[in-house]
Structures are given as structure tokens and as C-alpha cells.
Amino acid sequence: MKHYLTLNHLPNLETAVAEAIALKKDPFQFEKIGRNKTLGMLFFNPSLRTRLSTQKAAQQLGIKTMIMNFSNEAWALEYEDGTQMSGLRSEHIREAAAVISQYCDVVAIRAFASLTDKQKDEQEIVLNSFIKFATIPVINMESATSHPLQALADAITLKEYQQKSRPKIVLTWAPHPKALPHAVGNSFARMMGHQDADFVIANPKGYDLDPRITNGVTVVHNQAEALKGADVVYAKNWSSYDSYGQILRTDNKWMLTPEKMEQTNNAAFMHCLPIRRNVVVSDGVLDSTHSKVIEQANNRTFAAAAVLKTLLS
Ligand code: CP
């Protein structure tokens, strides 16, 4: 594996999950692997879990980290070639990526979707520019269209929780006051393509994810129907993909409640966090014993460790 930009870059998802679970049991077993290695972590957007879990994973592997917030610490980057840089952007990606490659052995990048220009977002300009001009492996810490570290942690959580063969797993859209990207939903759907499960996506009309990603997946527009008999319910908001970046509804009819969870097969509840209480899901679901969100966040460390170890091996 040269880079980790999407889940498809893993040589084998099942092996990566097994490796992460082994690392979770004995996190310091490979602490010599990262000796004299440095991971650069570049954030163009905020983070709690991704930043801390990836840093912790690096520590467990003996890797040193350097962190930079590009939103307020670094020079604003120019990505266009051949442009006259007389505006606000002070540094070209060509130099920035090449220089970071002198200081680091691996670089991890978080750069969200703008949600204003679908075509530009799908070009993944930040991530792909680093791929082009850096000389070291690149890890995606959530880009415009995917969040593969989250999806690997989700696969670990599903594996640890699995109670029967071919469970019913529902990814349900949930309300949110802000327009959110599609990255988590996309990567979860991609990850489910590797699972032996009855996978259903439930979202209101107008909120279908990119059909190139959900091709072959059952998509329904009736949440109650989808939740019936579910073994795992994963809630997540995303803005409209068709009416790109738009919020099409502001009611709370799709908020997940204990009454709705009663229609499931005692389903486990998952969410990538951060989560808005009593907007996305009510306290009763989040505080119930069915909620796996803290373990899911814990698994972010071992997902990152498995990826870092593979890249350094
Ligand atoms: N789930 C996740 O990526 O969390 P952060 O945005 O806090 O990193």
C-alpha cells in the first residue's frame, strides 16, 4: 500500500481489521517500527477524534508527530499551476508538499468538501496535489468524498460486535442544522460492500448519496420500514448530493428515538461523532446500553495504527 486515500487502498479489509484487533490487544508490540520516523498531520478543518487517535496510534508505534492547522497557522496554499500569485495565497503546493516531505516520512491530511462546487470537491484537489508533489505516503484523515480511517474503525466495531451471520445493518440519514459532507456515508457504504450483511440505506427523498457509490445497495425513503429487524443502526447526516450541499428539510421526523429503536432487533447504535444530542438522536438512544459510539471512537486508534504500520512496513 503506497497511500491510504480510500478504503480500496487496503490490500485486504478483513486482514486490516484482524491486524487492528491484534494491535488493540497489545498496542505496543510494534513500538520499534516507527523509530526515527515522523508523521506530519495537516488539518484544514477541525477534529477531535481523528487528531488524537492518529497521534495516539503513532505514539504506540514509536512514531513522532508534527501537527499543523492550515486554517490559521500555515501560509495559505495555491493549487493552480502557472498562476501569478499576487493574491492572498502565499505558498504554492509544489514547494509546500516538497518541503513537508523533507521533514516527514508520512503525511496525513484532513480537507473537507466545500459543498459549494461538486465538481471541484470530487477532484479532491488538496489530497491529490499532495499525492502529486509530496514524495512520501499520504493518509486521508477525511477528504471531500471519503473518510477511510473512520470506515476501518467502523469495520472493527462491527466485527467486535457481530452476534450473528448476515446481520441487517441500516445506515440512516438523520437531521442536522448544518450542511454536512458525504464522506462518512460514502466510506461506510464502501466498507459495507466488503461485508456479508443485509445492508440498507434509509434517507429522505432528495438525499440519495452518490449513485456510483451506492450502486447495488438497497436504498429506501421510509425510515420505519428500514429499521424493522435491524441488528445495527448507524445514524449520520449528510446534505443533499443531487442539490449539492443543500439542506432540503429542517423537521425532526428522522431523528432517532428509543421508540424507533424498539422496532429493531435490539440493534446496536453507531455514529462517527461528533453528534448533536436531541437533533440527530435523542439522549435515550445515545445513553442506552445499545450505543457503541465510545468503542467506535476508541477503535479509531487501532484503525490508524493498522494503516500506519502497513505504510511503514
Ligand atoms: N469522527 C471523526 O472524524 O471525528 P473528528 O471530526 O472529531 O475527527
Side-chain angles (χ1 to χ4, degrees), residues 46 112 115 173-181 207 236-240 245-250 274 276 279-280:
F112 287 176
L115 295 179
W173 181 92
H176 200 282
K178 286 176 70 179
L180 297 189
Y207 280 98
K236 182 71 186 90
N237 172 271
W238 55 84
S239 55
S240 174
Q246 300 297 304
I247 295 176
L248 306 180
R249 55 189 294 169
T250 52
R276 293 196 181 223
V279 174
V280 174

Coordinates of all heavy atoms in Angstrom, one line a residue, residues 46 112 115 173-181 207 236-240 245-250 274 276 279-280:
P46 N -11.4 21.3 11.6 CA -11.3 20.9 13.0 C -11.4 19.4 13.1 O -11.9 18.7 12.2 CB -12.5 21.6 13.7 CG -13.0 22.6 12.7 CD -12.6 22.1 11.3
F112 N -11.9 18.9 4.1 CA -13.3 18.6 3.9 C -13.8 19.2 2.5 O -13.1 20.0 1.9 CB -14.2 19.3 4.9 CG -14.2 18.7 6.3 CD1 -14.9 19.3 7.3 CD2 -13.5 17.5 6.5 CE1 -14.9 18.7 8.6 CE2 -13.4 16.9 7.8 CZ -14.1 17.5 8.9
L115 N -18.7 21.9 -0.3 CA -20.2 21.7 -0.5 C -20.8 22.8 -1.4 O -22.0 23.0 -1.4 CB -20.9 21.6 0.8 CG -20.6 20.4 1.6 CD1 -21.3 20.3 3.0 CD2 -20.9 19.1 0.8
W173 N -30.0 8.2 7.4 CA -29.8 9.7 7.4 C -30.5 10.2 8.7 O -31.5 9.6 9.1 CB -30.5 10.3 6.2 CG -30.4 11.8 6.0 CD1 -29.4 12.4 5.4 CD2 -31.3 12.8 6.5 NE1 -29.6 13.8 5.4 CE2 -30.8 14.0 6.1 CE3 -32.5 12.7 7.3 CZ2 -31.4 15.2 6.4 CZ3 -33.1 13.9 7.6 CH2 -32.6 15.1 7.2
A174 N -30.0 11.3 9.3 CA -30.6 11.9 10.4 C -30.5 13.4 10.3 O -29.6 13.9 9.6 CB -30.0 11.4 11.7
P175 N -31.4 14.2 11.0 CA -31.4 15.6 10.8 C -30.1 16.3 11.3 O -29.5 15.8 12.2 CB -32.6 16.1 11.5 CG -33.4 14.9 11.9 CD -32.4 13.7 11.9
H176 N -29.9 17.5 10.8 CA -28.7 18.3 11.3 C -28.9 19.7 10.9 O -29.4 20.0 9.7 CB -27.4 17.8 10.8 CG -26.2 18.2 11.5 ND1 -25.6 19.4 11.4 CD2 -25.4 17.5 12.4 CE1 -24.6 19.5 12.3 NE2 -24.4 18.3 12.9
P177 N -28.6 20.7 11.7 CA -28.9 22.1 11.3 C -27.9 22.7 10.3 O -28.1 23.7 9.7 CB -28.7 22.9 12.6 CG -27.9 22.0 13.5 CD -28.2 20.6 13.1
K178 N -26.7 22.0 10.1 CA -25.7 22.5 9.2 C -25.6 21.5 8.0 O -25.9 20.3 8.1 CB -24.3 22.6 9.9 CG -24.2 23.7 10.8 CD -22.9 23.7 11.5 CE -21.8 24.1 10.6 NZ -20.5 24.1 11.3
A179 N -25.2 22.0 6.9 CA -24.9 21.2 5.7 C -23.7 20.4 5.9 O -22.6 21.0 6.1 CB -24.8 22.0 4.5
L180 N -23.8 19.1 6.0 CA -22.6 18.3 6.2 C -22.2 17.5 5.0 O -23.0 17.2 4.1 CB -22.9 17.3 7.4 CG -23.2 17.8 8.7 CD1 -23.2 16.7 9.8 CD2 -22.2 18.9 9.2
P181 N -20.9 17.2 4.9 CA -20.4 16.4 3.7 C -20.9 15.0 3.7 O -21.5 14.5 4.6 CB -18.8 16.4 3.9 CG -18.6 17.4 5.0 CD -19.8 17.5 5.9
Y207 N -32.1 13.1 -0.8 CA -30.8 12.9 0.0 C -30.1 11.6 -0.4 O -29.2 11.2 0.3 CB -31.1 12.8 1.5 CG -31.3 14.2 2.1 CD1 -32.6 14.7 2.3 CD2 -30.2 15.0 2.5 CE1 -32.8 16.0 2.9 CE2 -30.4 16.2 3.0 CZ -31.6 16.7 3.3 OH -31.8 17.9 3.8
K236 N -26.4 9.0 10.5 CA -25.4 10.1 10.0 C -26.2 11.0 9.2 O -27.1 10.6 8.4 CB -24.3 9.4 9.2 CG -23.3 10.4 8.6 CD -22.4 10.9 9.7 CE -21.4 12.0 9.3 NZ -22.0 13.3 9.4
N237 N -25.9 12.3 9.3 CA -26.5 13.3 8.5 C -25.5 13.5 7.3 O -24.3 13.4 7.4 CB -26.7 14.6 9.2 CG -27.1 15.7 8.2 OD1 -26.2 16.4 7.7 ND2 -28.3 15.9 8.0
W238 N -26.1 13.9 6.1 CA -25.4 14.4 5.0 C -26.3 15.4 4.3 O -27.5 15.2 4.3 CB -24.8 13.3 4.1 CG -25.8 12.4 3.6 CD1 -26.6 12.5 2.4 CD2 -26.1 11.1 4.1 NE1 -27.4 11.4 2.3 CE2 -27.1 10.5 3.3 CE3 -25.7 10.3 5.2 CZ2 -27.6 9.2 3.5 CZ3 -26.2 9.1 5.4 CH2 -27.2 8.5 4.6
S239 N -25.7 16.4 3.6 CA -26.5 17.3 2.8 C -26.9 16.6 1.5 O -26.4 15.5 1.2 CB -25.7 18.6 2.6 OG -24.5 18.2 2.0
S240 N -27.7 17.3 0.8 CA -28.2 16.7 -0.5 C -27.0 16.5 -1.4 O -26.1 17.4 -1.5 CB -29.3 17.5 -1.1 OG -29.6 17.0 -2.4
G245 N -25.0 20.1 -1.6 CA -24.7 20.9 -0.4 C -25.9 21.5 0.3 O -25.8 22.3 1.3
Q246 N -27.1 21.3 -0.3 CA -28.3 22.0 0.2 C -28.9 21.2 1.4 O -28.8 20.0 1.5 CB -29.4 22.1 -0.9 CG -28.9 22.9 -2.1 CD -28.6 24.4 -1.7 OE1 -29.4 25.1 -1.2 NE2 -27.4 24.8 -2.0
I247 N -29.6 22.0 2.3 CA -30.4 21.3 3.4 C -31.8 21.4 2.8 O -32.4 22.5 2.6 CB -30.3 22.1 4.7 CG1 -28.9 22.0 5.2 CG2 -31.3 21.6 5.7 CD1 -28.6 22.8 6.5
L248 N -32.5 20.3 2.6 CA -33.8 20.3 2.0 C -34.9 20.2 3.0 O -36.1 20.4 2.7 CB -33.9 19.1 1.0 CG -32.8 18.9 0.0 CD1 -33.1 17.7 -0.9 CD2 -32.8 20.2 -0.9
R249 N -34.6 19.8 4.3 CA -35.7 19.8 5.3 C -35.1 20.1 6.7 O -33.9 19.7 6.9 CB -36.4 18.4 5.3 CG -35.5 17.2 5.4 CD -36.3 15.9 5.1 NE -37.3 15.7 6.2 CZ -38.2 14.8 6.1 NH1 -38.3 14.0 5.0 NH2 -39.1 14.6 7.0
T250 N -35.9 20.7 7.5 CA -35.4 21.1 8.8 C -36.3 20.5 9.9 O -36.1 20.8 11.1 CB -35.5 22.6 8.9 OG1 -36.8 23.1 8.6 CG2 -34.5 23.3 8.0
P274 N -18.5 13.9 15.9 CA -19.4 14.4 17.0 C -20.9 14.3 16.6 O -21.2 14.3 15.4 CB -18.9 15.9 17.0 CG -18.5 16.2 15.6 CD -17.9 14.9 15.1
R276 N -24.9 15.7 17.5 CA -25.8 16.7 18.2 C -26.9 16.0 18.9 O -27.8 15.4 18.2 CB -26.3 17.7 17.2 CG -25.2 18.6 16.6 CD -25.7 19.8 15.9 NE -24.6 20.6 15.4 CZ -24.5 21.9 15.5 NH1 -25.5 22.6 16.0 NH2 -23.5 22.5 14.9
V279 N -31.0 16.1 18.3 CA -31.2 16.6 16.9 C -31.0 15.4 16.0 O -32.0 15.1 15.3 CB -30.2 17.7 16.6 CG1 -30.3 18.1 15.1 CG2 -30.4 18.9 17.5
V280 N -29.9 14.8 16.0 CA -29.6 13.6 15.3 C -30.3 12.4 15.9 O -30.9 11.6 15.3 CB -28.1 13.4 15.2 CG1 -27.8 12.0 14.5 CG2 -27.4 14.5 14.4

